[in-house]
Amino acid sequence: MVKRNHRSAYLLILPYLLFLGVFLIYPILFSVWLTFHDWNIVSTDIPFVGLENYKRLMEDELFFTSLWNTVRFILINIPLQIVLALLLAVALNQPIKGRGFFRGAYFLPVVTSGVVISFLWAWMLSTDGGIINEVLGRIGIPPVPWLTSETWAIPSLAWVAAWKNLGYYVVIFLAGLQGIPKNLYEAARMDGASPVQNFFRITLPMLNPAMLLVVILSTINGFQLFTEPFIMTGGGPANSSLSVVMYIYKNAFQSLDMGYAATIGLVLALIILTVSLLQKRFLERDTYY
Amino acid sequence: MKKAMFLCMSLLLILVQTACSSSGDSGGKVELTYWPAANPAEVEFAKEVVKEWNKKHPNIQVKMEPLPASRSSEEVILTSIAGGTTPDITSNINPGALGQFIEAGGMLPIDEIDGAMETITKRTPKETVEAFRSKDGHLYQIPWKGNPVMVLYNKEHFKEAGLDPEKPDISTYSKFLNAAKKLKRDKNGDGKPDVWAINPNVEQTWWQRFFDFYPWYLAATDGHTLLKNNKAAFNNKAGVETVKFFRSLFQEGMAPKSTFKENLFAKGKVSMTITGPFALADLKKQNPDMKIGVAPIPVPDGQEGKRSITYGDPKNIGIFKSTEHPEEAWEFAKFLISKENDRKFLEITQQIPFRKGIDKDPATKEFFKKNPALVEFAEQAPYTRATDDSDKLTDLFEALSLEYQQSAIMGKKDPRQAVSEAEKKVNEILAR
Amino acid sequence: MDRISRGLKRMTMYLILIAGAVLFIFPFYWMVLASIKTPEEVFDLSLIPSKVTWDSYVYMFDRIPVWGSLLNSFIFAGGVTLITLIFTSMAGYALARLEFRGRDVLFSVILLTMMIPFQLLMIPLYIIVVKLGWMNTYAGLVLPVSVNALGIFIFRQFFRTVPQELIDAARIDGAGELKILFRIMLPLSKPACVTVAIFTFMGPWNDLLWPLLVTRDQEMMPLAQAATLFGLEGQGGQWGSIMAVTTILAVPVVVLYLFFQRYFIESVSSTGMKG
């Protein structure tokens, strides 16, 4: 029996491993190889350039601009997401009617394509004629160039991404809230604690693991920012919303600079991996989740 | 076990098969794929021409596929060269980006085809053809048509603003700006303009500068392009004045600082727009009653007097190296640029083919008479320039575009500083 | 006093929830509304159009092959889902119920691959597709992105709960492992299948980046890509027709979501994984 298990087990896993090898392991090695070469994908002559691509990266202002844009995006996106998701999750956690409906409504943008959401919000945020500015105009606020100014482009994108993912994080927080033992609150009530005190002394600390999960997931997500700026701003104005992934795309498909594009991809992956590893360490320290 | 394995394998096979079956056999017949530009008028022209060709040539069938849409058609062509998915022939080659296509090994030298140069120079003035020759001495493009960039204006608006609708004096920067100030209007009194004077594009996309900075710069320098001896040559008075001009338009609220999806000019929300003759067909469709005037690009004060030079926005025909039927492709190209089809092209798309004496031809005369706006463009056509021949043109314009945007549109950088930083960046790119 | 403050609290909670619901649902309403308004009314703030018109849809159908693109989307998302379901359930079964050498190492390696961001792979995968001649084909679109460790993770988890007696009984009847998987394990694991299918399907259906790299031919483009290029095209694009195409893109997934809402939400709270 055990022997039989052996052979069929390998056979069962083989197709998946084939995929893994061809479309994951090989590309990773290929990617590393590419970073040491200069290739436009067409020419048969592929010169080895050593660390040239890495050197260029370190001196490339535009790369750092795109990195800074992405980091700015994350720094605005995360707090926005956490505060709103927490607010909605706490409200949903009350004994109320229609919880399923509300939760379902919040989740709607999560399942919808980023393409849909980007166009929808690009339209709502357009400076002239967009609904947001029209409504603001009614209360006397002059039109804000949401997507066409250096100041507002990244915050606007951060808001749109938060809007898209909020429902997802509401569900995570809700699961976290429901896992908090009720007797903690009862004990606190005996001591005469106010609901606000309860929230900061019990709820928030108990939600720590969920919070970390949300932070890490949105960080990883944030570094992969592409669809929203690609559609809503094209990376502008003046590269103020160019994301790292857009910059990879640009190098690869506007300049056919595959070696350099792969180099940026590798560096970005290392940044993301470092963040994920930090996540793992944080999460493993807490066995709650 | 075997059954399920079989299922998986056949699924894989189906997927792989669809990958390989795309190059089906045609049984002695030659099939060519042709990419025209994707705008409606050009697609209409292409449809008619291809239909006629296919009727006449049962053994060389042409399949027409409009150039797949994207932010830029140059990117589409470049990636199709990279991906090995080029068609046989396209009529949307931007000479400015051609260097990149050649560098990627995608283009077929036209001058090596027997009799090609003869046919081409018979149709197009020799110096125009020579201007399109690449650095290596070969000609990789068949000159096809141009779209001189000019200023369109709404005569009705000019009248309302107290300006002469027939011969408006907007030939210099200060005259232009004075007129623009009058044209900007706040009709409902809410403190923001509802009708702007003009709408230069605010996007960073590199080729958008073909419709603001570049023609203005050409006009101001009487036709000098951006590079000289493979170095930036635009850090001069003309470059700075050009940026200053657009800066005034944007910073004094005469031009909107946002992007629009609809055609503002057709909707009467803007009084002037910068464009080529290709826009006329669409305008007629969207707003048939509109009275349109055409004016040349203005020049800095004190330089007026002669016709200003502008960007010609040329688009040419190219044959890809990947084609298995270069001769048939050339035959089809010849058909595209025949006298009858040039006339048809002019009438359908309102763009100007590079054909000697097109505006004097008795057959087209009638058409020009009915479209006076087009006459202005045809007269401007000899006074145009293309772009520099560089395989890094996209990157160059991108760098320039960035500085232009920061200074003119966002009003942050001083124009002088912006132009000199653009010069620095362009030289860095050229040295790479 | 206590009752009043409790009532007040409930009121606030409802207000927050309703404000939230409006925030999330209204934009969708606004999108559909724009697609059926007349061009003159598109920029009005009116919440009910004075006249319904299908012009935007007609215009859009005129400009892009919507049905073909929808079919491409189904083939792309369906193909990835099918391959993932078959191969990850096989691997998940082996990892959950069969003893073999290197099992735990293999599982950790597979889990580790979940952490590889797509951005590292996109350039080499694109080059592989080009060199295989898979540009503008379904194979190029589907196969390279059909590696999905999440499926293995979920199936493995689920298969471990199936009683051993069922498997033993089948073996005594002479069934092979694949038969056990497809006849016993999978039918018992419908929730796992639905979860994996939904999560896998949504990814490619909504994806823009990968199709952008490997399909440059209008006839092969999935709808998300076709819609993007249609919307970004400079000339002639109008908000009404852009909202029409995004509406069509959103409908299938939203319908799927309404039917399987429970699975969508439960799988998030149980796995904490991003689809």
Side-chain angles (χ1 to χ4, degrees):
Chain A
M1 194 82 127
V2 173
K3 206 174 149 211
R4 198 182 109 119
N5 271 352
H6 261 283
R7 235 193 39 202
S8 26
Y10 290 126
L11 280 177
L12 281 168
I13 295 190
L14 193 66
Y16 183 80
L17 288 185
L18 268 175
F19 266 81
L20 204 66
V22 177
F23 297 122
L24 199 113
I25 310 289
Y26 173 65
I28 293 174
L29 301 175
F30 189 20
S31 183
V32 174
W33 179 86
L34 270 172
T35 64
F36 298 110
H37 291 81
D38 178 16
W39 193 25
N40 69 358
I41 188 171
V42 183
S43 95
T44 43
D45 166 45
I46 309 169
F48 175 79
V49 292
L51 291 172
E52 204 51 50
N53 284 325
Y54 291 94
K55 230 177 89 194
R56 181 171 155 200
L57 187 77
M58 293 318 290
E59 291 162 1
D60 187 352
E61 246 178 77
L62 200 48
F63 167 70
F64 286 102
T65 305
S66 69
L67 191 61
W68 172 232
N69 290 339
T70 311
V71 170
R72 257 189 324 140
F73 168 87
I74 294 170
L75 290 180
I76 301 170
N77 173 260
I78 290 183
L80 205 62
Q81 226 154 234
I82 287 184
V83 171
L84 289 177
L86 208 53
L87 189 70
L88 291 175
V90 168
L92 266 182
N93 200 31
Q94 310 299 318
I96 45 158
K97 275 184 205 138
R99 180 193 289 178
F101 165 76
F102 288 119
R103 200 176 56 168
Y106 304 158
F107 208 73
L108 199 57
V110 178
V111 301
T112 314
S113 173
V115 171
V116 174
I117 281 156
S118 300
F119 276 118
L120 175 51
W121 277 95
W123 179 47
M124 298 207 299
L125 289 172
S126 39
T127 311
D128 300 279
I131 183 173
I132 308 284
N133 276 345
E134 288 295 318
V135 170
L136 289 179
R138 300 261 161 119
I139 52 172
I141 298 173
V144 180
W146 297 111
L147 298 170
T148 46
S149 78
E150 283 178 295
T151 324
W152 284 107
I154 283 285
S156 301
L157 295 181
W159 158 252
V160 173
W163 185 82
K164 174 164 171 38
N165 294 324
L166 211 56
Y168 185 82
Y169 298 121
V170 169
V171 172
I172 291 183
F173 276 135
L174 197 57
L177 284 172
Q178 283 166 352
I180 300 176
K182 289 273 179 306
N183 53 14
L184 283 180
Y185 292 103
E186 271 154 34
R189 206 171 47 201
M190 299 285 202
D191 296 342
S194 74
V196 178
Q197 278 174 328
N198 270 351
F199 180 78
F200 284 103
R201 288 199 191 145
I202 302 172
T203 314
L204 267 189
M206 289 301 284
L207 272 182
N208 232 358
M211 192 79 81
L212 272 170
L213 188 65
V214 170
V215 169
I216 303 305
L217 281 178
S218 21
T219 310
I220 295 177
N221 247 340
F223 276 115
Q224 312 201 344
L225 181 68
F226 176 77
T227 304
E228 288 87 352
F230 185 80
I231 289 175
M232 299 176 71
T233 64
N239 289 328
S240 63
S241 61
L242 182 81
S243 74
V244 181
V245 182
M246 273 186 88
Y247 191 48
I248 297 177
Y249 182 89
K250 230 176 193 174
N251 275 293
F253 303 106
Q254 276 177 18
S255 320
L256 293 191
D257 218 336
M258 296 297 160
Y260 191 51
T263 310
I264 306 171
L266 186 68
V267 170
L268 178 65
L270 288 177
I271 294 173
I272 296 177
L273 279 180
T274 315
V275 175
S276 319
L277 285 177
L278 286 176
Q279 156 205 22
K280 260 198 129 212
R281 285 191 60 176
F282 274 120
L283 287 179
E284 271 166 8
R285 199 185 297 162
D286 238 311
T287 47
Y288 171 78
Y289 229 73
Chain B
M1 175 106 189
K2 265 186 194 147
K3 218 163 123 192
M5 264 302 188
F6 177 74
L7 196 87
C8 300
M9 285 298 136
S10 45
L11 187 87
L12 273 180
L13 271 178
I14 290 167
L15 281 168
V16 172
Q17 223 161 33
T18 54
C20 306
S21 62
S22 52
S23 59
D25 64 319
S26 41
K29 256 197 227 164
V30 170
E31 197 183 284
L32 298 174
T33 307
Y34 162 49
W35 281 2
N39 66 68
E42 278 188 59
V43 170
E44 192 190 327
F45 165 76
K47 262 186 198 155
E48 278 192 26
V49 172
V50 167
K51 205 169 138 198
E52 200 188 325
W53 167 273
N54 283 346
K55 220 186 286 164
K56 279 188 193 159
H57 302 83
N59 285 327
I60 310 171
Q61 289 293 297
V62 173
K63 202 170 122 210
M64 191 272 291
E65 285 172 13
L67 203 79
S70 174
R71 257 193 205 277
S72 100
S73 59
E74 289 74 21
E75 186 191 312
V76 175
I77 294 177
L78 190 65
T79 50
S80 73
I81 293 172
T85 55
T86 38
D88 298 280
I89 180 168
T90 181
S91 57
N92 201 31
I93 294 279
N94 177 351
L98 186 71
Q100 235 184 332
F101 305 157
I102 300 168
E103 175 77 19
M107 307 310 299
L108 190 85
I110 306 285
D111 53 333
E112 288 182 356
I113 300 173
D114 265 347
M117 288 313 282
E118 211 186 342
T119 312
I120 291 170
T121 45
K122 224 161 121 191
R123 171 178 175 262
T124 310
K126 200 159 179 160
E127 52 175 7
T128 312
V129 179
E130 288 309 311
F132 286 132
R133 215 178 255 282
S134 293
K135 275 187 219 136
D136 65 0
H138 285 298
L139 184 73
Y140 292 93
Q141 49 192 337
I142 303 162
W144 192 39
K145 49 109 173 181
N147 275 305
V149 172
M150 298 180 81
V151 177
L152 292 189
Y153 63 90
N154 187 326
K155 288 187 177 172
E156 213 54 47
H157 285 197
F158 271 55
K159 215 188 278 170
E160 285 165 24
L163 299 161
D164 179 3
E166 293 314 319
K167 286 239 169 305
D169 197 4
I170 48 174
S171 59
T172 65
Y173 287 3
S174 52
K175 286 175 183 167
F176 194 100
L177 291 172
N178 276 334
K181 265 177 210 139
K182 288 183 196 152
L183 289 164
K184 175 187 92 173
R185 277 168 298 170
D186 175 13
K187 281 185 176 163
N188 57 7
D190 63 353
K192 48 181 189 176
D194 329 288
V195 178
W196 290 277
I198 192 165
N199 62 334
N201 193 290
V202 297
E203 275 174 43
Q204 194 186 337
T205 319
W206 66 281
W207 51 261
Q208 290 292 1
R209 301 293 83 79
F210 290 163
F211 300 95
D212 39 53
F213 179 88
Y214 194 54
W216 256 255
Y217 180 80
L218 286 172
T221 56
D222 202 20
H224 288 282
T225 52
L226 297 178
L227 306 183
K228 207 170 181 183
N229 302 325
N230 212 29
K231 275 226 163 88
F234 56 80
N235 185 7
N236 50 32
K237 195 162 167 267
V240 176
E241 288 297 318
T242 300
V243 176
K244 259 191 199 157
F245 173 84
F246 285 100
R247 190 182 164 102
S248 321
L249 283 181
F250 283 110
Q251 301 319 314
E252 290 166 34
M254 292 178 265
K257 284 195 207 174
S258 45
T259 45
F260 295 87
K261 287 286 171 198
E262 80 267 62
N263 188 331
L264 288 188
F265 187 63
K267 293 242 157 85
K269 285 190 186 171
V270 59
S271 304
M272 296 185 273
T273 196
I274 310 162
T275 184
F278 61 85
L280 294 172
D282 188 44
L283 277 175
K284 205 170 217 170
K285 231 175 256 168
Q286 287 203 38
N287 192 349
D289 305 325
M290 191 172 178
K291 294 200 174 52
I292 298 167
V294 185
I297 305 293
V299 289
D301 296 11
Q303 291 188 24
E304 63 266 44
K306 59 179 180 178
R307 187 175 263 280
S308 63
I309 304 281
T310 186
Y311 173 56
D313 193 18
K315 289 285 156 61
N316 295 336
I317 296 169
I319 300 175
F320 291 97
K321 215 175 199 166
S322 60
T323 181
E324 286 167 19
H325 315 286
E327 273 145 42
E328 287 84 352
W330 162 245
E331 283 305 317
F332 179 66
K334 234 161 61 183
F335 183 68
L336 272 179
I337 58 170
S338 66
K339 200 168 176 184
E340 293 71 47
N341 282 331
D342 272 348
R343 198 168 64 219
K344 194 179 269 172
F345 181 75
L346 174 76
E347 286 173 12
I348 294 177
T349 67
Q350 313 223 347
Q351 304 185 47
I352 318 237
F354 290 132
R355 174 173 281 279
K356 292 178 202 166
I358 181 103
D359 50 338
K360 310 228 161 41
D361 187 341
T364 45
K365 230 178 187 163
E366 196 57 28
F367 181 71
F368 274 111
K369 214 188 248 168
K370 264 190 264 164
N371 295 277
L374 204 56
V375 178
E376 303 279 341
F377 282 106
E379 279 169 8
Q380 177 78 49
Y383 303 93
T384 56
R385 294 286 183 278
T387 45
D388 294 281
D389 175 27
S390 164
D391 58 356
K392 300 196 176 87
L393 201 84
T394 317
D395 291 344
L396 301 183
F397 264 90
E398 192 118 300
L400 181 69
S401 186
L402 177 68
E403 297 298 329
Y404 165 86
Q405 218 186 16
Q406 285 183 327
S407 181
I409 300 171
M410 269 143 8
K412 282 184 26 187
K413 253 183 209 167
D414 176 66
R416 203 176 302 273
Q417 185 197 354
V419 171
S420 84
E421 272 170 37
E423 178 196 34
K424 209 179 107 209
K425 273 189 200 152
V426 164
N427 282 336
E428 271 172 25
I429 294 167
L430 288 168
R432 194 153 71 211
Chain C
M1 197 59 202
D2 202 32
R3 264 183 61 190
I4 294 174
S5 85
R6 283 231 327 251
L8 217 68
K9 190 179 155 196
R10 274 178 70 136
M11 278 278 284
T12 330
M13 290 301 166
Y14 269 118
L15 273 179
I16 292 174
L17 289 173
I18 291 169
V22 170
L23 180 69
F24 285 103
I25 293 178
F26 176 75
F28 287 105
Y29 175 69
W30 195 240
M31 168 173 90
V32 178
L33 196 64
S35 72
I36 55 172
K37 274 182 175 179
T38 58
E40 292 76 40
E41 264 189 354
V42 157
F43 285 97
D44 281 2
L45 291 190
S46 59
L47 291 179
I48 293 156
S50 64
K51 200 181 134 209
V52 171
T53 164
W54 300 104
D55 286 359
S56 295
Y57 286 88
V58 172
Y59 179 78
M60 168 197 73
F61 271 92
D62 216 37
R63 296 294 303 277
I64 47 175
V66 178
W67 296 118
S69 301
L70 265 175
L71 183 70
N72 291 338
S73 284
F74 271 109
I75 293 176
F76 177 32
V80 172
T81 308
L82 202 63
I83 293 180
T84 303
L85 274 181
I86 294 172
F87 292 167
T88 60
S89 67
M90 283 161 65
Y93 172 61
L95 288 166
R97 303 309 292 257
L98 302 177
E99 295 283 336
F100 61 94
R101 201 184 305 162
R103 185 173 79 168
D104 296 335
V105 179
L106 200 60
F107 184 59
S108 343
V109 169
I110 289 172
L111 277 190
L112 214 65
T113 64
M114 284 173 86
M115 290 169 51
I116 308 286
F118 179 70
Q119 284 65 36
L120 173 63
L121 307 173
M122 65 186 244
I123 300 298
L125 280 180
Y126 165 74
I127 296 176
I128 290 172
V129 167
V130 167
K131 294 299 165 194
L132 285 173
W134 282 0
M135 283 297 283
N136 293 328
T137 65
Y138 291 131
L141 205 50
V142 172
L143 295 180
V145 289
S146 293
V147 188
N148 180 343
L150 182 68
I152 293 193
F153 187 75
I154 293 174
F155 276 122
R156 179 178 169 273
Q157 202 104 315
F158 217 92
F159 289 159
R160 291 170 89 168
T161 63
V162 175
Q164 182 66 34
E165 294 82 52
L166 284 175
I167 300 174
D168 289 340
R171 281 202 187 126
I172 289 165
D173 288 346
E177 300 300 338
L178 263 186
K179 197 167 178 186
I180 296 175
L181 172 63
F182 288 112
R183 287 281 155 76
I184 296 171
M185 303 304 270
L186 281 179
L188 284 172
S189 318
K190 280 205 184 106
C193 289
V194 175
T195 306
V196 173
I198 283 175
F199 266 71
T200 319
F201 189 87
M202 265 169 51
W205 183 276
N206 292 339
D207 189 25
L208 171 66
L209 185 53
W210 179 243
L212 216 46
L213 305 190
V214 296
T215 51
R216 295 280 179 174
D217 185 347
Q218 180 97 54
E219 284 170 28
M220 291 300 296
M221 286 179 189
L223 191 57
Q225 184 189 10
T228 302
L229 298 182
F230 172 73
L232 291 180
E233 224 181 315
Q235 274 155 16
Q238 311 233 335
W239 282 119
S241 46
I242 293 174
M243 292 302 116
V245 70
T246 52
T247 303
I248 291 198
L249 177 61
V251 162
V253 173
V254 169
V255 168
L256 202 70
Y257 167 65
L258 293 179
F259 272 104
F260 294 101
Q261 211 193 79
R262 198 167 58 92
Y263 289 100
F264 274 87
I265 291 173
E266 273 174 12
S267 54
V268 173
S269 39
S270 65
T271 60
M273 290 301 169
K274 182 87 190 156

